[in-house]
């Protein structure tokens, strides 16, 4: 039995510490583990073990329970409470060894976080397999942590502007509480990132972050999605299914686009927010869920409440702590920093060397209006990274962002010429005439600059705020004459 131990694929050299007060046992273990290609350290007491751990990197500890005067469980406890890796949860797996193991020892060791428990006399095969499993677990822990860090980086809220500092302060204050948070703000401003930051810094950070896109789930399915269903609850319910509120138990449920949730579903959500209880579709039992609730919307919920489109009671339940996600236009100074970070990310993903960005490009990007906020900026940057050569230059920008216009299209100085048919205005007042012609002219310019308000205003020789006012006064909206490219 002992010699057909599975051959390990390149498990070599992971250092292992053996802690046992019996020299013979240490020697036997050393031989077995060295034959597997490991570097082995020995210790006869807890003090010696601590000295080795302080000096050497160790990937696995084999630890005897009875160490003369010492109790191996004390070292186990210390190792498990210490953690490494900046307090993250990659710690050193410990396999306990005992001569006359009692069930109590085994239970205590497991409770303290021992990976495995072996009895003496030790079997060679058993030792090899236990070590291999523990080391593999450690490799997986490491990988999970690496991935988690990469994911965290992907969801990092970037920005150095004052509004972002204020935002971070609010997140830091509210995250460790159990308060419900309602995040509002325009599309693409980072509401989801805020929700994730709250989760990461909350007391339920080790639980799941469950995102529910309330706008994407059809009203007839939302109840089953949120609360689950029993088998046979409706046609198609072939198996019992857990709902998202159940999955989020012990974590955070993120109700995204809550303003788009049907009124019928709102009533159901209200109940779970009031009582923490819900029932699966087709079920009788009331189930409990304990999850942090964070909601987001780009709609004006208060106005919706006024209009009877959103339940007032639900609004008050959700809006305990409101957080507003600022538009990109409120923090244009962050554009260079965001662009550089997106360039870096996109270059990495595509295996390109980092492409520096010409200063002029930042200036151009800062004058654009960004109706799609950071999401739009990110898409633009992705395109720029793909289409540019080694450096991202002004000429890589599309015309509406200040790049060169293809020949044959209107230029800034000579827009499309339209003759005014004065006859059309024969019966109008001077004011009507002025407004209509003005409105027509502004529309032409807006189309020319693809609705970039700053650049249109510049071309017209007026202030941006002034142009906004004129658009309102003249009743000009995007989408009326030009579908735009949001
Ligand atoms: N402060 C920021 N730092 C880095 N990336 C950001 C930031 N804000 C937004 N983004 C990026 O912009 C995109 C949109 O962000 P997110 O999905 O959080 O926006 P949203 O407000 O939820 O939009 P919507 O209302 O359309 O759902 C994502 O790719 C996100 O990574
Ligand atoms: Mg979103």
């Amino acid at each position: 039995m002992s010699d057909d131990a599975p051959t390990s694929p390149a498990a070599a050299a992971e250092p292992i510490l053996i802690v046992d007060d019996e020299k013979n046992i240490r020697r036997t273990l050393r031989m077995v583990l060295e034959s597997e290609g490991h570097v082995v350290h020995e210790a006869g007491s807890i003090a010696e073990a601590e000295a080795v751990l302080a000096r050497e990197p160790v990937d696995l500890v084999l630890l005897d329970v009875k160490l003369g005067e010492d109790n191996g469980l004390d070292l186990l406890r210390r190792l498990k409470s210490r953690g490494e890796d900046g307090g993250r949860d990659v710690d050193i797996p410990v396999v306990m060894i005992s001569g006359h193991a009692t069930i109590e020892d085994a239970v205590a060791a497991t409770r303290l976080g021992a990976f495995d428990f072996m009895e003496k006399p030790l079997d060679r095969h058993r030792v090899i397999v236990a070590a291999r499993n523990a080391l593999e677990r450690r490799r997986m822990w490491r990988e999970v942590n690496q991935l988690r860090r990469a994911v965290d980086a992907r969801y990092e809220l970037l920005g150095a502007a004052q509004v972002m500092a204020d935002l971070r302060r609010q997140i830091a204050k509210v995250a460790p509480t159990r308060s419900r948070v309602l995040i509002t703000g325009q599309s693409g401003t980072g509401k989801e990132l805020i929700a994730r930051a709250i989760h990461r810094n909350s007391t339920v950070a080790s639980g799941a972050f469950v995102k529910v896109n309330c706008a994407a789930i059809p009203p007839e399915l939302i109840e089953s999605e949120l609360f689950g269903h029993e088998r046979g609850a409706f046609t198609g319910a072939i198996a019992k299914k857990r709902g998202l509120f159940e999955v989020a138990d012990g974590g955070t449920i993120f109700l995204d686009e809550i303003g788009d949730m049907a009124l019928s579903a709102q009533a159901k959500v209200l109940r779970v927010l009031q009582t923490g209880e819900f029932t699966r579709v087709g079920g009788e039992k009331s189930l409990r869920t304990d999850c942090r609730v964070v909601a987001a919307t780009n709609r004006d919920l208060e106005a919706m409440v006024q209009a009877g489109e959103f339940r007032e009671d639900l609004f008050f339940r959700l809006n305990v702590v409101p957080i507003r996600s600022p538009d990109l236009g409120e923090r244009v100074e962050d554009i260079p920093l965001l662009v550089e970070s997106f360039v870096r990310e996109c270059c990495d993903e595509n295996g390109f060397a980092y492409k520096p960005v010409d200063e002029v490009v930042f200036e151009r990007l800062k004058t654009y209006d960004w109706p799609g906020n950071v999401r739009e900026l990110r898409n633009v940057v992705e395109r720029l990274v793909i289409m540019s050569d080694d450096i991202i230059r002004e000429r890589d920008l599309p015309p509406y962002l200040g790049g060169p216009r293809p020949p044959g299209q209107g230029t800034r100085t000579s827009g499309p010429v339209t003759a005014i048919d004065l006859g059309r205005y024969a019966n109008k007042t001077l004011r009507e005439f002025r407004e209509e012609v003005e409105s027509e002219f502004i529309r032409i310019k807006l189309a020319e600059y693809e609705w970039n308000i700053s650049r249109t205003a510049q071309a017209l020789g007026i202030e941006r705020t002034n142009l906004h006012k004129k658009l309102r006064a003249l009743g000009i909206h995007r989408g009326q004459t030009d579908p735009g490219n949001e």
Side-chain angles (χ1 to χ4, degrees):
M1 171 190 175
S2 56
D3 270 322
D4 59 17
T7 46
S8 73
E14 285 160 307
I16 299 179
L17 170 63
I18 302 165
V19 190
D20 198 309
D21 55 335
E22 283 174 68
K23 206 166 169 202
N24 284 341
I25 300 269
R26 295 205 301 266
R27 206 175 49 217
T28 315
L29 284 172
R30 172 187 279 280
M31 265 163 34
V32 172
L33 296 169
E34 280 182 349
S35 76
E36 284 283 289
H38 294 291
V39 173
V40 175
H41 304 287
E42 290 179 31
S45 66
I46 290 188
E48 277 178 43
E50 296 272 26
V52 173
L53 288 164
R55 201 175 63 222
E56 305 282 348
V58 166
D59 282 329
L60 168 64
V61 177
L62 301 185
L63 176 59
D64 193 14
V65 177
K66 292 236 158 52
L67 287 165
E69 297 288 283
D70 295 345
N71 184 344
L73 294 177
D74 290 336
L75 180 60
L76 174 63
R77 193 174 295 119
R78 238 172 289 161
L79 280 171
K80 291 291 141 182
S81 63
R82 192 180 67 175
E84 54 171 288
D85 229 20
R88 281 183 175 263
D89 48 8
V90 173
D91 49 15
I92 306 173
V94 178
V95 172
M96 299 301 297
I97 307 169
S98 173
H100 14 76
T102 63
I103 295 280
E104 289 82 68
D105 286 342
V107 169
T110 313
R111 222 174 250 152
L112 288 172
F115 178 77
D116 202 351
F117 198 90
M118 295 190 294
E119 276 175 62
K120 292 178 192 172
L122 295 169
D123 166 74
R124 175 188 156 79
H125 181 76
R126 173 91 175 85
V127 170
I128 291 174
V129 170
R132 206 169 279 168
N133 288 343
L135 288 167
E136 187 173 312
R137 169 73 71 91
R138 178 163 163 84
R139 261 176 258 133
M140 275 166 52
W141 278 335
R142 275 191 171 146
E143 200 173 321
V144 165
N145 271 305
Q146 231 170 346
L147 290 172
R148 200 174 278 167
R149 260 189 298 252
V151 170
D152 286 356
R154 184 79 170 74
Y155 289 119
E156 195 190 343
L157 255 183
L158 300 172
Q162 188 56 45
V163 281
M164 293 305 284
D166 294 344
L167 177 63
R168 283 200 193 89
R169 218 178 357 260
Q170 292 175 51
I171 293 173
K173 274 217 174 104
V174 76
T177 70
R178 296 289 311 212
S179 288
R180 300 206 176 113
V181 181
L182 178 64
I183 307 163
T184 57
Q186 283 185 19
S187 182
T189 52
K191 295 187 291 297
E192 181 172 343
L193 300 190
I194 295 174
R196 287 180 185 274
I198 291 171
H199 173 71
R200 264 203 310 277
N201 294 293
S202 73
T203 54
V204 291
S206 59
F209 177 86
V210 178
K211 176 180 157 178
V212 187
N213 188 336
C214 304
I217 307 173
E220 65 276 14
L221 286 184
I222 196 146
E223 212 186 326
S224 134
E225 283 293 318
L226 292 177
F227 308 117
H229 58 247
E230 296 296 340
R231 189 175 162 196
F234 49 85
T235 332
I238 28 180
K240 180 167 98 174
K241 192 183 139 200
R242 296 200 310 155
L244 296 171
F245 269 100
E246 211 174 329
V247 175
D249 190 29
T252 300
I253 193 160
F254 174 44
L255 302 171
D256 199 9
E257 322 276 1
I258 187 87
D260 295 281
M261 185 182 264
L263 275 165
S264 56
Q266 290 177 25
K268 308 271 165 47
V269 171
L270 179 67
R271 176 181 169 222
V272 68
L273 295 192
Q274 277 169 335
T275 62
E277 286 180 11
F278 64 96
T279 317
R280 290 205 191 108
V281 178
E284 318 221 299
K285 232 184 6 188
S286 221
L287 302 170
R288 284 202 67 81
T289 179
D290 184 21
C291 55
R292 176 80 179 272
V293 180
V294 177
T297 182
N298 55 19
R299 307 190 47 179
D300 181 350
L301 284 192
E302 264 174 295
M304 289 181 72
V305 168
Q306 294 301 319
E309 292 161 348
F310 198 86
R311 291 185 69 114
E312 187 175 28
D313 43 11
L314 181 59
F315 174 68
F316 287 125
R317 286 273 165 188
L318 291 170
N319 192 35
V320 178
V321 180
I323 289 188
R324 200 182 75 86
S325 182
D327 307 344
L328 183 53
E330 293 170 51
R331 53 182 191 113
V332 284
E333 66 266 43
D334 277 344
I335 286 179
L337 168 158
L338 288 165
V339 169
E340 281 178 343
S341 160
F342 297 153
V343 168
R344 187 156 289 123
E345 206 174 285
C346 189
C347 286
D348 282 353
E349 271 169 21
N350 290 288
F352 301 159
Y354 177 73
K355 297 186 178 183
V357 183
D358 200 331
E359 207 50 49
V360 196
V361 171
F362 292 138
E363 289 318 306
R364 293 283 171 266
L365 296 180
K366 278 188 193 169
T367 57
Y368 179 61
D369 242 33
W370 301 110
N373 294 292
V374 187
R375 177 178 296 116
E376 185 182 3
L377 178 65
R378 179 179 215 130
N379 292 341
V380 165
V381 170
E382 222 170 284
R383 241 175 0 244
L384 287 173
V385 167
I386 306 291
M387 303 310 284
S388 61
D389 300 328
D390 300 349
I391 298 176
I392 298 174
R393 298 190 166 88
E394 188 180 15
R395 60 155 199 245
D396 300 315
L397 290 166
Y400 74 95
L401 290 172
R405 279 164 187 273
Q409 282 191 17
T411 64
R412 259 156 262 169
T413 43
S414 61
V417 183
T418 331
I420 297 175
D421 174 10
L422 287 174
R424 264 175 66 196
Y425 302 98
N427 298 321
K428 307 255 170 168
T429 63
L430 177 62
R431 185 197 170 104
E432 282 165 343
F433 166 73
R434 202 170 45 215
E435 282 187 358
E436 283 182 33
V437 172
E438 191 174 53
S439 156
E440 192 52 36
F441 187 60
I442 292 176
R443 276 184 223 274
I444 290 171
K445 283 291 171 195
L446 283 167
E448 190 181 336
Y449 290 97
E450 297 180 41
W451 277 80
N452 179 326
I453 300 291
S454 306
R455 299 183 70 80
T456 308
Q458 209 179 345
L460 291 169
I462 59 176
E463 291 291 323
R464 188 176 131 142
T465 46
N466 204 346
L467 177 55
H468 274 297
K469 252 187 249 155
K470 274 195 185 297
L471 296 185
R472 268 197 301 276
L474 296 169
I476 303 175
H477 313 287
R478 186 170 198 174
Q480 225 174 17
T481 51
D482 173 348
N485 55 347
E486 280 172 277

